[in-house]
Amino acid sequence: MKISPTWLREFVDLKVGSKQLAEDLTAAGLAVELISDLGKESPLFWSSGEGIVFDMEITTNRVDAMNHYGVARECSAIYDLDVRPIEPKLPAAKGKAKFAVELPEPQGCARYTAQIVRGIKLAPSPARIARRLEMVEARPINNGVDASNYTLIEMGHPTHAFDLDTLEGGKIMVRRAGAGEKLRTLDGVDRKLDPDDLVIADAKKAVALAGVMGGFDTMITDRTRNILIESAWFDPVSIRLTARRHGMHTDASHRFERGADWGATPLACRRVAQLILESGGGELEGGLIDAIGRRIERPTLHLRRSEVRRILGQEIAEPDVLRILRRLGFEVTSDTVAIPTWRLDVEREIDLIEEIARIYGYNRFPNTLPAFAGAVVETPDTPKDAALGSALLALGYNQAVSLSFISLAEAQQFSTATPVALENPISEEAAVMRTSLVPSMVNMLAYNLNRGANDVRLFEAGNVYELVGAKAEERKQIAIGATGQAIASDVHQPGRAYSFFDLKGDLETLLTKFQHSSLYFDANNAPAYYHPHRYARAVLDGGMVARLGQLHPEVTTARKLRQDVYLAEIYLDRLYRQGLRPVRYQPISRYPAVDRDFSFLFANEVTFERIRAAVDTLRIAELRQFWPVEIFCGDTVPAGQYSVLLRAEFQSVERTLRDDEAALWANRIIQALQALGGTQRA
């Protein structure tokens, strides 16, 4: 934002130089990042005395300060000086304006002010107007268009001028676009309108995209003699969505989507009319046409002096508090403060205290350490969080952090939970609170792949959100994502791609850190975004605590991922019901182990989890391990069955085992496997 100190001095009698002014504005929160001297570059600016220009960084919540008058108001408060109001002096209007304004969409357009000017003569703007437009890098066009642009940088409210003779039906209507309706905007682009777009229309057609850009067919041209000036207030969300939808960003949309001043529409309209009449002649037809669809009421806040003292840490004199707030435009009565229509960023008592502090001067507060009582309190889940985090890092995963917002489409694709919608989303891609960590994890993996990082392992711990009835609930989860090589190839060994079983093994490692009596995996209830044949869920002591698998190829293709992606989701609210498994030292047995192999045929429906569960029920104390060694299908194995070689390892910590003991335990295992329908092979 470019601001001229010379222009500011037209509103406030500043006694300080430009350098000091820049420092004081920066200290008050309106940062001056660069001071330019245009007089050294152009004789035009040198001769006018307007060579100095501030490049200012105005935060998005301070749309009221994105103009010269707004910054002048800040100067008034900083230096305790009167600010001269903008008071357009207009000649008496002739006749009555025979023009109607209708607002069938008061939610989208709360106020629309118009003024008709007839008999103007278009010409280049006066040198002073053109020079100031060039100063802020706006190209002068003619006195009709320039009046609107000048008013924008002077007082911050967007306006627009229509060629009155191109408007049909004698009325303006602010409505939603019709199905299939089109509009050619000032940039010459034919745009297909969306039914949610707010448009300004005459009796027959749309003539402007409200709050974004005017229409080509009704613009000011060299033939224009009669104009209609508009100054309106549009809903910020509606303008933001429209601008994003059409890929447009204009000076008007920049202001409107951040919140314009509802009370400024008549003043801005009159100011444009004054500038046009001064440079182009003409006469006013009737007075202002001021249509109000709804009123934007600003709250009255309660300001406690005790709270000012508590937050700021020192007493601020009552006269200083009153002076600061009143200079900024707040109406103070006793301990209540009425918020002006241009300060949409002030909503709470703490906002008022911030205003007092920044104008009073942060450098006037002594450097003190805040009071502190107590100590750091560890939450109950901290040890479990630390155990999982350190284990994942040890397994080779890097921790990642993403935003808590996702699109509605992603929320519906990767979860069945009802999403929590944001009241004021920054974009459609971040419109709801995340119902799953999967979308963000997939996006982070894609980000790495698109930049040449092909072997990626990430995890993220965070909350997911769900609307339950009228209440939003949050739950803690961990998402794990991996793609690429599990083992990189080198001169010693060939490479191996990361697989489902790498992820399953890592998940088992994590779950063994928690106390449990049983853990098994099944393939029940696979979500649609997982590969149907490379999916499992982890069931710990009868409850599902995690799911894992390969991302479905259709999802991978849709997101243009060129490698297989593997994901795991751990539901910490369920897992943390289990305590951490205490680490105990146990010496290795000094006595030899005894192995026994079992070759069996099983139906495909019999999973290893069922086989292991059947063996576990035997309660053989000396059984140390039981695992599958080989699996074989096809050839001599009948269809619908598979052959598996199982191995059991027995060992005692007290003595050497006898062959008859091992044979007895082996017979019990064989009987248990046969009870599952297995057939022992020779």
Side-chain angles (χ1 to χ4, degrees):
M1 181 76 197
K2 293 186 180 295
I3 295 293
S4 164
T6 304
W7 202 338
L8 295 179
R9 297 177 197 278
E10 290 186 2
F11 300 118
V12 183
D13 292 326
L14 298 172
K15 307 300 182 184
V16 297
S18 296
K19 184 177 180 180
Q20 184 62 49
L21 174 61
E23 292 178 359
D24 293 340
L25 285 171
T26 301
L30 303 183
V32 178
E33 297 191 328
L34 179 67
I35 302 176
S36 303
D37 188 354
L38 300 181
K40 294 180 179 180
E41 305 170 10
S42 169
L44 177 66
F45 290 103
W46 176 81
S47 61
S48 67
E50 289 189 295
I52 303 299
V53 176
F54 292 164
D55 278 302
M56 301 187 66
E57 180 64 30
I58 309 296
T59 55
T60 56
N61 66 317
R62 289 300 309 276
V63 66
D64 66 290
M66 294 179 182
N67 58 84
H68 282 78
Y69 194 76
V71 177
R73 188 186 296 117
E74 295 286 313
C75 295
S76 168
I78 294 170
Y79 300 114
D80 192 21
L81 299 171
D82 292 336
V83 58
R84 284 183 282 275
I86 298 175
E87 296 178 329
K89 295 178 174 57
L90 297 174
K94 294 186 178 181
K96 184 177 181 181
K98 298 178 181 179
F99 209 87
V101 173
E102 298 178 6
L103 303 179
E105 284 285 341
Q107 188 61 38
C109 179
R111 189 173 193 177
Y112 193 99
T113 306
Q115 175 70 65
I116 294 175
V117 182
R118 291 188 178 273
I120 68 169
K121 181 180 180 181
L122 291 182
S125 292
R128 175 171 168 273
I129 301 293
R131 185 173 60 248
R132 287 188 170 179
L133 290 174
E134 290 178 351
M135 178 194 68
V136 297
E137 300 177 353
R139 181 174 61 89
I141 300 174
N142 58 52
N143 52 357
V145 177
D146 294 350
S148 179
N149 293 334
Y150 186 89
T151 300
L152 176 65
I153 60 177
E154 180 181 59
M155 59 174 293
H157 195 87
T159 58
H160 183 67
F162 296 101
D163 186 325
L164 181 64
D165 297 325
T166 63
L167 299 177
E168 301 181 76
K171 73 174 180 179
I172 280 286
M173 179 187 305
V174 185
R175 58 170 173 81
R176 298 292 174 182
E181 191 169 13
K182 295 182 179 181
L183 171 68
R184 175 175 292 184
T185 46
L186 284 173
D187 53 6
V189 177
D190 291 320
R191 303 184 185 276
K192 184 178 180 180
L193 302 179
D194 187 276
D196 288 332
D197 290 338
L198 193 69
V199 299
I200 300 167
D202 60 20
K204 295 185 178 181
K205 62 185 181 301
V207 296
L209 200 54
V212 182
M213 186 177 287
F216 187 87
D217 296 332
T218 57
M219 68 177 177
I220 302 296
T221 68
D222 293 340
R223 298 185 302 274
T224 301
R225 292 296 175 266
N226 306 310
I227 65 170
L228 181 137
I229 304 166
E230 75 155 27
S231 176
W233 186 97
F234 301 112
D235 176 59
V237 175
S238 177
I239 302 306
R240 185 183 306 117
L241 294 177
T242 297
R244 300 295 186 278
R245 209 161 22 238
H246 294 281
M248 304 173 72
H249 183 268
T250 63
D251 289 335
S253 68
H254 186 81
R255 269 79 171 179
F256 279 126
E257 65 186 29
R258 286 161 175 77
D261 180 4
W262 183 90
T265 63
L267 178 60
C269 199
R270 294 171 61 235
R271 180 59 170 151
V272 174
Q274 177 192 19
L275 293 173
I276 291 176
L277 291 172
E278 287 176 351
S279 61
E283 59 186 22
L284 299 179
E285 179 178 282
L288 284 176
I289 306 167
D290 193 15
I292 297 177
R294 61 186 175 97
R295 294 189 174 275
I296 307 298
E297 301 290 348
R298 301 296 295 132
T300 297
L301 301 179
H302 180 65
L303 180 63
R304 294 165 292 177
R305 300 301 187 267
S306 59
E307 194 68 3
V308 175
R309 182 172 58 254
R310 186 186 72 83
I311 295 295
L312 301 184
Q314 73 178 53
E315 190 75 46
I316 306 295
E318 182 76 5
D320 287 334
V321 172
L322 296 176
R323 173 185 60 80
I324 290 170
L325 293 178
R326 287 171 177 164
R327 288 295 189 192
L328 290 173
F330 298 93
E331 295 182 10
V332 186
T333 305
S334 183
D335 58 352
T336 62
V337 180
I339 312 302
T341 56
W342 60 82
R343 288 306 300 270
L344 300 182
D345 59 310
V346 177
E347 297 178 333
R348 302 170 298 164
E349 181 184 35
I350 190 65
D351 297 329
L352 292 174
I353 296 174
E354 181 184 2
E355 293 298 294
I356 295 169
R358 69 180 185 85
I359 299 298
Y360 182 77
Y362 291 120
N363 58 336
R364 297 176 64 183
F365 293 97
N367 294 325
T368 58
L369 291 174
F372 177 74
V376 176
V377 178
E378 189 176 80
T379 63
D381 291 341
T382 298
K384 298 175 182 178
D385 291 338
L388 287 178
S390 60
L392 282 163
L393 292 172
L395 289 168
Y397 295 88
N398 293 310
Q399 187 168 9
V401 179
S402 65
L403 293 176
S404 298
F405 315 130
I406 59 176
S407 68
L408 178 60
E410 288 180 324
Q412 294 171 339
Q413 180 182 11
F414 294 101
S415 174
T416 58
T418 302
V420 179
L422 298 177
E423 289 186 359
N424 191 18
I426 58 176
S427 70
E428 292 184 5
E429 288 71 32
V432 300
M433 301 295 290
R434 62 187 178 191
T435 53
S436 169
L437 298 179
V438 170
S440 300
M441 178 57 66
V442 173
N443 290 337
M444 289 187 288
L445 292 174
Y447 183 91
N448 281 271
L449 289 175
N450 292 337
R451 285 155 181 80
N454 297 320
D455 304 328
V456 188
R457 298 191 198 183
L458 300 174
F459 77 93
E460 180 178 13
N463 290 329
V464 297
Y465 306 86
E466 177 183 2
L467 195 62
V468 180
K471 183 180 179 183
E473 296 185 358
E474 56 185 270
R475 297 180 179 85
K476 203 171 183 180
Q477 293 185 9
I478 287 180
I480 303 173
T483 184
Q485 297 279 67
I487 299 175
S489 61
D490 56 27
V491 295
H492 303 292
Q493 62 184 351
R496 180 176 66 78
Y498 191 97
S499 71
F500 170 85
F501 296 102
D502 290 303
L503 183 58
K504 181 173 178 286
D506 291 343
L507 185 59
E508 286 180 298
T509 300
L510 298 176
L511 296 181
T512 54
K513 294 191 172 292
F514 292 83
Q515 297 177 2
H516 62 274
S517 57
S518 70
L519 169 64
Y520 68 87
F521 293 82
D522 62 32
N524 297 338
N525 305 320
Y529 54 88
Y530 279 110
H531 192 299
H533 304 301
R534 297 174 188 172
Y535 162 81
R537 61 175 198 154
V539 181
L540 194 75
D541 288 349
M544 194 266 284
V545 296
R547 55 165 47 109
L548 70 150
Q550 180 183 335
L551 189 64
H552 198 289
E554 292 181 358
V555 180
T556 304
T557 302
R559 290 177 174 257
K560 299 180 180 179
L561 298 169
R562 58 182 183 275
Q563 296 179 182
D564 292 339
V565 169
Y566 295 89
L567 302 168
E569 303 166 71
I570 306 176
Y571 306 103
L572 299 183
D573 57 323
R574 306 174 190 176
L575 178 60
Y576 282 2
R577 296 170 189 167
Q578 313 290 123
L580 284 173
R581 180 172 60 86
V583 179
R584 295 189 179 92
Y585 166 74
Q586 182 175 339
I588 298 175
S589 176
R590 296 180 298 169
Y591 303 100
V594 178
D595 292 344
R596 290 292 185 269
D597 289 348
F598 310 89
S599 182
F600 268 81
L601 281 176
F602 285 104
N604 288 341
E605 293 75 23
V606 180
T607 64
F608 179 71
E609 297 296 344
R610 291 180 58 189
I611 295 172
R612 183 168 59 182
V615 174
D616 287 344
T617 58
L618 299 177
R619 305 290 183 186
I620 301 173
E622 288 77 6
L623 181 63
R624 293 288 175 261
Q625 294 187 75
F626 184 77
W627 72 97
V629 179
E630 294 178 352
I631 295 178
F632 182 72
C633 300
D635 198 10
T636 60
V637 177
Q641 294 184 321
Y642 68 95
S643 173
V644 60
L645 176 63
L646 302 166
R647 180 166 296 165
E649 181 182 276
F650 306 101
Q651 189 178 36
S652 172
V653 296
E654 299 174 348
R655 58 185 175 82
T656 300
L657 298 177
R658 302 190 307 272
D659 284 344
D660 60 327
E661 291 176 311
L664 176 63
W665 295 327
N667 286 332
R668 293 177 62 191
I669 291 175
I670 291 171
Q671 293 172 11
L673 299 180
Q674 289 174 338
L676 288 176
T679 302
Q680 188 175 17
R681 305 185 72 187

